[in-house]
Amino acid sequence: MAESAELILDGKSYTLPVVEGTEHEKAFDIGKLRDQTGYVTLDSGYKNTGATKSAITFLDGEEGILRYRGYPIEQLAEKSSFLEVAYLLIYGALPTQEQLENFSHQITKHTLVHEDVRKIFDGFPSAAHPMAILSSLICSLTAFYPESVSPDLSKEEIDLNVIRLMAKMPTIAAWTYKNNMGHPLNYPRNDLDFCSNFLYMMFSFPTEKYDIDPRIVSALNKLLILHADHEQNCSTSTVRLVGSANASLYGSVSAGINALWGPLHGGANQEVLEMLQAIQADGGDTSKFIAKAKDKNDSFRLMGFGHRVYKNFDPRAKIIKKAADEVLAALGIDDPLLKIAQELEQAALTDQYFVERKLYPNVDFYSGIIYRAIGIPTEMFTVMFALGRLPGWIAQWKEMRENKEPIGRPRQIYTGELERDYVSIENRK
Ligand code: SDX
């Protein structure tokens, strides 16, 4: 007999069906709760609420497990490439050689953006944050491809929008950086793979040859793989919610970019670097900043620490920490900020405040050390997170559409004024 839960309200008994996933996670299905009982549930921050059923990514926060379509992140980070992982997330299976070559070729063919996109750059102040520009320009793709707003796109049309987005985001991201630096823009090259092309567009200069370092290409592939999806996090839930209104893929992802920019979410990688630099400027006393993080009267938080789901360790942080050591050693870089980060981690992991609250380094704690080592400026760190998360956002948007999920519209508990009559302005106090 299917498992269920009994709810007793005002003396009446209601049965709630239990839903069990392939990894034996369980949920009460409350889809009919309000119709049957007049009650809704309340769960600020959705800490206990499942928004959907999904076959894309599995997390186990207690065990520190992260798998994309069943494949452990440790294996993918070691053996796969970002485009192969993107295909896996979006289409549900590892591609054959032919499928991967076709996917990669299609993306290469679409890396150019309309020349009118360049004109939009001219409208931004030179000091504009790259995430503000990225979210605007990704949304602008809806203007350049108006057919993308149709809710009745065929599979082929959706695939074309997927290819366009995967192809043009790196170009737009790199142009955002070059525009901010006042450098000439580099056009994409069809002879380079995804990560090499991005590095070329970011760092090549007309006046000097840019040698693409395979060690940096490998580090970038690994970082993008580790950021590619993370089930129903804030920005992905945003993409799904906006997409549930039949908004276009470009508009939905643009909304996700803005959610990711939040310093409590993907914006934390920039905050971590700035925090490490502040500690360095202050003399490097990590204990002072640990005390600030614990002080309830101080708004300072240890950025890059803590996670809504991982209450043990973030498996991505372990891989990135190891990669940071490897990349810096390979490039012969001795970054004092890495030492400060390691000291901070050690201090926090032996401090009761952090141990009691199960606060460990998350994906953002060490990623900036690597971005910095490969020459990416701090303000571009969250753009890098968005570039990595793009296939996850696409996969989740596509799954929501294919499952024909209803428009997202949460309920509330009203706590405002009771009914009262209008008072004309002359009679107001
Ligand atoms: C990402 O969801 C995802 O999957 C996100 C992500 C992804 O891949 O998409 O993994 C990416 O967003 C990683 C998180 C990056 N953010 C940060 O590093 C910012 C710092 N971390 C925190 O603000 C916090 O830990 C969150 C936002 C990550 C999680 O917040 P929660 O789950 O709402 O936890 P909380 O704020 O309720 O904190 C619980 C307790 C509180 O203390 P008490 O009220 O119990 O005394 O822990 C404390 C908090 O004050 N706490 C921290 C802390 N994080 C939590 N105290 C000091 N420093 C911190 N970093």
Side-chain angles (χ1 to χ4, degrees), residues 83 103-115 117 141 145 160 162-175 186-198 200-201:
L83 275 200
F103 186 60
S104 178
H105 173 67
Q106 288 301 317
I107 287 171
T108 299
K109 262 182 24 184
H110 289 271
T111 47
L112 265 183
V113 293
H114 194 291
E115 274 300 294
V117 171
L141 293 177
Y145 305 102
L160 177 55
V162 167
I163 291 293
R164 278 185 177 135
L165 193 49
M166 283 296 299
K168 298 179 192 306
M169 181 119 141
T171 305
I172 290 172
W175 282 13
N186 292 314
Y187 280 76
R189 282 175 41 186
N190 287 2
D191 61 322
L192 297 176
D193 64 58
F194 187 92
C195 286
S196 303
N197 205 9
F198 176 72
Y200 165 77
M201 291 189 284

Side-chain angles (χ1 to χ4, degrees), residues 3-15:
E3 207 180 341
S4 62
E6 182 184 19
L7 180 63
I8 296 173
L9 277 176
D10 312 326
K12 278 185 76 179
S13 165
Y14 301 90
T15 301

Side-chain angles (χ1 to χ4, degrees), residues 47 230 233 263-266 268 293 296 301-308 316 353 357 359 362-364 385 389:
K47 295 188 177 186
H230 215 239
N233 60 83
L264 292 183
H265 189 12
K296 287 301 167 202
R301 281 200 158 189
L302 209 52
M303 299 313 275
F305 255 74
H307 200 276
R308 174 61 59 75
R316 303 166 297 178
Y353 173 93
R357 292 166 179 80
L359 303 176
N362 59 47
V363 67
D364 293 313
F385 195 144
R389 186 51 52 87

